[in-house]
Amino acid sequence: MSEKIILLSDVRAPALTAPAALEAPTGLLADALGRPLHDLRISVTDRCNFRCVYCMPKEVFDKDYAYLPHSSLLSFEEITRVAKLFIAHGVEKIRLTGGEPLLRKNLEGLVTQLRALDTPSGRPLDLTLTTNGSLLARKARALRDAGLDRVTVSLDAIDNDVFRRMNDVDFAVSDVLNGLDAAHAAGLGPIKVNMVVKGGTNDGQILPMARHFKGSPFILRFIEYMDVGGSNGWNMDEVVPSSEVVRRISAEMPLVAINPNYTGETASRWKYADGGGEVGMISSVTQAFCQDCSRIRLSTEGKLYTCLFATQGHDLRGLLRAGGNDLELSSAIARLWRRRADRYSETRTVNTAGLSSRSESARKIEMSYIGG
Ligand code: SAM
Ligand code: SF4
Ligand code: SF4
């Protein structure tokens, strides 16, 4: 890692404005490629207590790093208002993320507000959270009581030394495992455990992780290391394809492919032939799933991103704080989604060449800013 060239927040985000013709939401919104809007990911902080080598490398995210000031964060009331508008457009799943979302004070207060929102279809909103698990043992019960449905916990190794090298803050595996147990006991399920596989760093943990979680209440999913942001020095040689992960596990514990739970599911599902439960593969690099991508992301400071690899966000906070009414905000969101044509992962082979250029990677937003 050498110079600091990353983009912390997207200063170029154009302001979202209300279109001349305002329109009430119908619950059915399709983008330019016919994809519906179903899934909203909300980043509640850009800070984190880990320094995962593939996400917030220490050399970049050091004590001089300029995090967002508190005044620029959306308040819980603002987030809830925006979430309500998205639900009226058809969103049925909300994931809270970060940075580390459990670092945001009184997050359960936000969960309470979101839980109170009704969907037009009458189906309950699927309300979930992605966390590194470090504070979960303390927070699981309060989150469940506030109405959170489930959690996804990131854990990149079951061996303490490897895990400490991955999180780079000397955090122990046992604390995350305690968090998982607390979440399970609180009824926050089904619980998924996400392992990012970085070749040469933690791929030796694929089998130990599979062995550990086989037959447990937790669904382990392997994520291909992605070229998000510009600070992790991503290199294709460090991507371990999911097919290789399946091959390695199957050699010891045979796996059988099973059907997805729903269209657009990001993970392909596999079950152990001996009935020991299932594992998932998130092949964001080798098998793009853009064609069913129904996700939009709201940054901590109120910018909307129609793709994880977007180089530009759209500032909703300006309109929100300038007194825009619900119809204006909702119409601005509808116009943004209708124009969306993102399919970065499908075109990555073409783009990959550009990734080696500093100027290209510098323009991409960081995972710790937008939350995955
Ligand atoms: N701090 C929380 C956590 O780690 O679960 C939530 C935010 S984190 C950015 C969300 C997810 O993105 C985590 O599962 C993390 O492992 C994953 N992630 C971060 N950088 C990644 C990368 N370069 N490639 C693949 N996944 C990545
Ligand atoms: Fe923090 Fe999550 Fe990024 Fe790790 S992956 S540094 S826990 S935001
Ligand atoms: Fe969706 Fe963009 Fe990821 Fe494709 S690359 S799946 S459009 S977020």
Side-chain angles (χ1 to χ4, degrees):
M1 199 71 46
S2 48
E3 335 144 44
K4 290 187 190 177
I5 39 84
I6 54 161
L7 178 68
L8 315 184
S9 68
D10 182 359
V11 285
R12 302 161 317 238
L16 273 181
T17 52
L22 301 179
E23 48 172 332
T26 61
L28 294 171
L29 200 57
D31 73 5
L33 302 177
R35 298 168 296 188
L37 172 57
H38 278 329
D39 187 335
L40 172 65
R41 298 194 176 185
I42 303 173
S43 174
V44 293
T45 177
D46 61 337
R47 291 163 198 255
C48 187
N49 52 347
F50 282 17
R51 286 292 174 275
C52 301
V53 290
Y54 54 80
C55 179
M56 297 181 81
K58 254 183 183 163
E59 312 82 74
V60 177
F61 294 85
D62 60 13
K63 62 177 180 22
D64 298 325
Y65 186 91
Y67 293 97
L68 296 170
H70 197 263
S71 58
S72 70
L73 308 192
L74 292 188
S75 67
F76 288 171
E77 287 67 30
E78 287 173 324
I79 292 174
T80 306
R81 181 169 172 214
V82 172
K84 190 174 177 186
L85 300 173
F86 273 101
I87 289 170
H89 277 310
V91 161
E92 295 197 330
K93 178 171 163 186
I94 293 184
R95 177 177 296 280
L96 301 177
T97 179
E100 174 45 45
L102 297 186
L103 289 182
R104 180 91 185 244
K105 217 170 141 200
N106 186 30
L107 190 72
E108 51 279 22
L110 175 62
V111 172
T112 304
Q113 291 186 36
L114 294 174
R115 182 76 284 164
L117 301 176
D118 296 318
T119 65
S121 68
R123 282 189 289 272
L125 179 71
D126 181 13
L127 194 51
T128 179
L129 167 88
T130 303
T131 172
N132 63 23
S134 58
L135 301 169
L136 198 51
R138 258 181 273 165
K139 297 255 186 177
R141 173 55 60 190
L143 289 166
R144 180 64 185 146
D145 290 347
L148 190 72
D149 290 314
R150 55 201 180 86
V151 288
T152 297
V153 177
S154 306
L155 179 64
D156 297 323
I158 200 71
D159 175 89
N160 238 338
D161 293 335
V162 182
F163 185 53
R164 288 192 148 116
R165 276 204 297 281
M166 291 297 280
N167 66 55
D168 219 7
V169 292
D170 218 21
F171 204 84
V173 171
S174 56
D175 292 326
V176 179
L177 296 180
N178 289 340
L180 276 170
D181 289 341
H184 181 59
L188 285 168
I191 299 175
K192 291 167 186 157
V193 175
N194 280 355
M195 170 179 172
V196 174
V197 182
K198 188 171 180 216
T201 307
N202 70 336
D203 58 318
Q205 287 290 297
I206 293 170
L207 278 171
M209 284 284 282
R211 286 182 203 120
H212 182 89
F213 287 106
K214 183 167 182 264
S216 77
F218 310 112
I219 302 170
L220 177 60
R221 306 187 312 169
F222 297 90
I223 306 182
E224 288 177 351
Y225 175 39
M226 286 187 281
D227 50 330
V228 213
S231 68
N232 60 11
W234 183 87
N235 183 330
M236 186 68 198
D237 296 343
E238 292 171 326
V239 177
V240 179
S242 295
S243 54
E244 170 63 13
V245 178
V246 170
R247 193 193 63 73
R248 287 196 207 175
I249 297 175
S250 276
E252 180 180 313
M253 299 168 273
L255 289 171
V256 181
I258 50 178
N259 289 330
N261 285 313
Y262 55 90
T263 312
E265 192 171 25
T266 47
S268 68
R269 300 172 62 211
W270 300 77
K271 67 174 185 187
Y272 291 107
D274 67 2
E278 72 174 83
V279 288
M281 305 289 152
I282 303 185
S283 319
S284 346
V285 178
T286 61
Q287 279 174 294
F289 35 77
C290 301
Q291 67 183 36
D292 293 319
C293 180
S294 55
R295 289 178 287 283
I296 194 160
R297 294 170 165 89
L298 177 67
S299 82
T300 318
E301 54 181 343
K303 288 171 185 161
L304 288 170
Y305 290 84
T306 55
C307 178
L308 183 55
F309 298 90
T311 49
Q312 195 170 60
H314 300 266
D315 179 35
L316 186 65
R317 191 189 61 193
L319 187 56
L320 198 65
R321 293 193 178 167
N325 65 35
D326 282 357
L327 193 57
E328 288 168 335
L329 287 159
S330 173
S331 304
I333 291 168
R335 180 172 60 182
L336 175 68
W337 188 261
R338 284 212 186 88
R339 290 179 178 172
R340 173 187 191 247
D342 305 275
R343 43 190 286 271
Y344 175 88
S345 289
E346 285 179 357
T347 58
R348 181 187 273 104
T349 43
V350 180
N351 292 346
T352 301
L355 284 169
S356 56
S357 112
R358 284 209 163 278
S359 58
E360 177 67 19
S361 55
R363 282 167 38 214
K364 292 200 299 187
I365 44 165
E366 292 296 320
M367 195 69 145
S368 56
Y369 169 72
I370 200 63

Short mmCIF file of all heavy atoms in Angstrom, two decimals, residues 12-36:
data_model
loop_
_atom_site.label_atom_id
_atom_site.label_comp_id
_atom_site.label_asym_id
_atom_site.label_seq_id
_atom_site.Cartn_x
_atom_site.Cartn_y
_atom_site.Cartn_z
N ARG A 12 -18.65 14.73 -5.27
CA ARG A 12 -19.25 15.18 -6.53
C ARG A 12 -20.70 14.82 -6.67
O ARG A 12 -21.28 15.01 -7.72
CB ARG A 12 -18.52 14.55 -7.72
CG ARG A 12 -17.05 14.83 -7.79
CD ARG A 12 -16.44 13.79 -8.69
NE ARG A 12 -17.03 12.49 -8.36
CZ ARG A 12 -16.32 11.47 -7.99
NH1 ARG A 12 -15.04 11.53 -7.93
NH2 ARG A 12 -16.92 10.32 -7.67
N ALA A 13 -21.30 14.20 -5.63
CA ALA A 13 -22.66 13.70 -5.77
C ALA A 13 -23.61 14.80 -6.22
O ALA A 13 -23.79 15.78 -5.50
CB ALA A 13 -23.12 13.11 -4.45
N PRO A 14 -24.22 14.67 -7.38
CA PRO A 14 -25.17 15.69 -7.79
C PRO A 14 -26.41 15.65 -6.90
O PRO A 14 -26.77 14.59 -6.38
CB PRO A 14 -25.52 15.29 -9.23
CG PRO A 14 -25.17 13.85 -9.33
CD PRO A 14 -24.08 13.59 -8.34
N ALA A 15 -27.01 16.82 -6.71
CA ALA A 15 -28.20 16.88 -5.85
C ALA A 15 -29.39 16.26 -6.57
O ALA A 15 -29.59 16.49 -7.77
CB ALA A 15 -28.50 18.33 -5.53
N LEU A 16 -30.16 15.49 -5.84
CA LEU A 16 -31.41 15.00 -6.41
C LEU A 16 -32.42 16.13 -6.32
O LEU A 16 -32.54 16.78 -5.29
CB LEU A 16 -31.93 13.80 -5.61
CG LEU A 16 -31.42 12.42 -6.00
CD1 LEU A 16 -32.08 11.38 -5.11
CD2 LEU A 16 -31.71 12.10 -7.46
N THR A 17 -33.14 16.33 -7.40
CA THR A 17 -34.16 17.38 -7.39
C THR A 17 -35.50 16.76 -7.75
O THR A 17 -35.54 15.69 -8.37
CB THR A 17 -33.84 18.48 -8.42
OG1 THR A 17 -33.63 17.82 -9.69
CG2 THR A 17 -32.59 19.26 -8.04
N ALA A 18 -36.55 17.45 -7.39
CA ALA A 18 -37.88 16.93 -7.72
C ALA A 18 -38.15 17.16 -9.20
O ALA A 18 -37.89 18.25 -9.71
CB ALA A 18 -38.92 17.63 -6.88
N PRO A 19 -38.65 16.15 -9.93
CA PRO A 19 -38.98 16.38 -11.33
C PRO A 19 -40.19 17.30 -11.47
O PRO A 19 -40.94 17.48 -10.50
CB PRO A 19 -39.31 14.97 -11.85
CG PRO A 19 -39.50 14.11 -10.66
CD PRO A 19 -38.91 14.79 -9.47
N ALA A 20 -40.36 17.88 -12.66
CA ALA A 20 -41.49 18.79 -12.86
C ALA A 20 -42.81 18.06 -12.65
O ALA A 20 -43.73 18.56 -12.01
CB ALA A 20 -41.41 19.38 -14.27
N ALA A 21 -42.88 16.84 -13.20
CA ALA A 21 -44.13 16.07 -13.04
C ALA A 21 -43.99 15.15 -11.83
O ALA A 21 -43.22 14.19 -11.87
CB ALA A 21 -44.40 15.27 -14.31
N LEU A 22 -44.72 15.46 -10.78
CA LEU A 22 -44.64 14.63 -9.58
C LEU A 22 -45.58 13.44 -9.73
O LEU A 22 -46.60 13.52 -10.42
CB LEU A 22 -45.03 15.46 -8.35
CG LEU A 22 -44.17 16.70 -8.11
CD1 LEU A 22 -44.66 17.46 -6.89
CD2 LEU A 22 -42.70 16.32 -7.94
N GLU A 23 -45.21 12.33 -9.10
CA GLU A 23 -46.04 11.13 -9.24
C GLU A 23 -46.10 10.37 -7.93
O GLU A 23 -45.09 10.22 -7.25
CB GLU A 23 -45.47 10.22 -10.34
CG GLU A 23 -43.98 10.02 -10.21
CD GLU A 23 -43.40 8.98 -11.16
OE1 GLU A 23 -44.11 8.05 -11.56
OE2 GLU A 23 -42.20 9.11 -11.47
N ALA A 24 -47.28 9.90 -7.61
CA ALA A 24 -47.43 9.11 -6.37
C ALA A 24 -46.84 7.72 -6.60
O ALA A 24 -46.96 7.17 -7.70
CB ALA A 24 -48.90 9.02 -6.01
N PRO A 25 -46.21 7.15 -5.59
CA PRO A 25 -45.64 5.80 -5.76
C PRO A 25 -46.73 4.75 -5.96
O PRO A 25 -47.82 4.87 -5.40
CB PRO A 25 -44.90 5.56 -4.44
CG PRO A 25 -45.47 6.52 -3.47
CD PRO A 25 -45.97 7.69 -4.25
N THR A 26 -46.42 3.74 -6.78
CA THR A 26 -47.39 2.67 -7.05
C THR A 26 -46.95 1.35 -6.42
O THR A 26 -47.68 0.37 -6.46
CB THR A 26 -47.51 2.43 -8.56
OG1 THR A 26 -46.21 2.03 -9.03
CG2 THR A 26 -47.97 3.68 -9.30
N GLY A 27 -45.73 1.33 -5.89
CA GLY A 27 -45.20 0.07 -5.34
C GLY A 27 -44.53 -0.77 -6.41
O GLY A 27 -43.97 -1.82 -6.14
N LEU A 28 -44.59 -0.30 -7.65
CA LEU A 28 -43.97 -1.03 -8.77
C LEU A 28 -43.08 -0.08 -9.53
O LEU A 28 -43.56 0.86 -10.15
CB LEU A 28 -45.06 -1.55 -9.73
CG LEU A 28 -46.01 -2.61 -9.19
CD1 LEU A 28 -47.14 -2.83 -10.17
CD2 LEU A 28 -45.24 -3.91 -8.94
N LEU A 29 -41.81 -0.31 -9.43
CA LEU A 29 -40.87 0.59 -10.09
C LEU A 29 -39.82 -0.28 -10.77
O LEU A 29 -39.25 -1.16 -10.14
CB LEU A 29 -40.22 1.46 -9.00
CG LEU A 29 -39.56 2.77 -9.38
CD1 LEU A 29 -40.52 3.69 -10.10
CD2 LEU A 29 -39.05 3.45 -8.10
N ALA A 30 -39.57 -0.04 -12.06
CA ALA A 30 -38.55 -0.84 -12.75
C ALA A 30 -37.46 0.09 -13.27
O ALA A 30 -37.74 1.22 -13.69
CB ALA A 30 -39.18 -1.62 -13.89
N ASP A 31 -36.22 -0.39 -13.26
CA ASP A 31 -35.13 0.43 -13.79
C ASP A 31 -35.03 0.25 -15.30
O ASP A 31 -35.88 -0.42 -15.93
CB ASP A 31 -33.81 0.13 -13.05
CG ASP A 31 -33.18 -1.21 -13.42
OD1 ASP A 31 -33.70 -1.91 -14.32
OD2 ASP A 31 -32.15 -1.57 -12.81
N ALA A 32 -34.00 0.84 -15.91
CA ALA A 32 -33.88 0.83 -17.37
C ALA A 32 -33.72 -0.59 -17.92
O ALA A 32 -33.96 -0.84 -19.10
CB ALA A 32 -32.70 1.69 -17.80
N LEU A 33 -33.30 -1.53 -17.07
CA LEU A 33 -33.15 -2.92 -17.51
C LEU A 33 -34.28 -3.80 -16.98
O LEU A 33 -34.18 -5.03 -16.95
CB LEU A 33 -31.79 -3.47 -17.05
CG LEU A 33 -30.56 -2.68 -17.53
CD1 LEU A 33 -29.26 -3.27 -16.96
CD2 LEU A 33 -30.48 -2.66 -19.07
N GLY A 34 -35.35 -3.16 -16.52
CA GLY A 34 -36.54 -3.90 -16.09
C GLY A 34 -36.44 -4.49 -14.69
O GLY A 34 -37.30 -5.29 -14.29
N ARG A 35 -35.43 -4.09 -13.93
CA ARG A 35 -35.26 -4.67 -12.59
C ARG A 35 -36.06 -3.89 -11.54
O ARG A 35 -35.95 -2.66 -11.49
CB ARG A 35 -33.76 -4.69 -12.21
CG ARG A 35 -32.92 -5.55 -13.13
CD ARG A 35 -31.44 -5.33 -12.92
NE ARG A 35 -31.00 -3.98 -13.26
CZ ARG A 35 -29.74 -3.59 -13.31
NH1 ARG A 35 -28.77 -4.43 -13.02
NH2 ARG A 35 -29.42 -2.35 -13.63
N PRO A 36 -36.83 -4.59 -10.72
CA PRO A 36 -37.61 -3.91 -9.69
C PRO A 36 -36.73 -3.40 -8.55
O PRO A 36 -35.57 -3.81 -8.42
CB PRO A 36 -38.56 -5.00 -9.18
CG PRO A 36 -37.84 -6.28 -9.46
CD PRO A 36 -37.00 -6.05 -10.68
#
